[in-house]
Amino acid sequence: MQGITQKELAYKLGITDISLNKTLRGEYPQLQTLEKIAGALGVPITELFEPPASDAITCPNCGARLEIRVKE
């Protein structure tokens, strides 16, 4: 999402990468953890549940949103 690994995000959140992985898979989607994830990524919590736009991707290196256009 923003060029950060799950291990790095877990460290920032103060939880194990295993706990984060379970949260992301929906096994333990506790609101408090989801709020921490959103805060660490600097996004509203609702963005964690929005499907990515079909015409845009996120750069894995810098986190920038890139729009994809079909050449006409």
Side-chain angles (χ1 to χ4, degrees):
M1 187 182 298
Q2 295 196 4
I4 186 171
T5 66
Q6 283 187 18
K7 192 170 202 119
E8 293 168 330
L9 180 57
Y11 179 79
K12 284 185 171 190
L13 300 174
I15 62 175
T16 67
D17 54 334
I18 294 170
S19 293
L20 177 59
N21 190 290
K22 288 181 178 182
T23 298
L24 296 175
R25 288 195 327 244
E27 292 183 27
Y28 296 116
Q30 297 178 7
L31 181 58
Q32 183 179 14
T33 303
L34 294 172
E35 288 173 337
K36 287 181 180 181
I37 293 170
L41 296 174
V43 299
I45 194 169
T46 55
E47 190 171 315
L48 300 177
F49 300 98
E50 296 173 358
S54 60
D55 61 345
I57 60 171
T58 302
C59 174
N61 294 318
C62 68
R65 299 280 296 162
L66 304 171
E67 187 175 332
I68 299 174
R69 296 183 188 164
V70 177
K71 189 173 181 177
E72 296 178 17

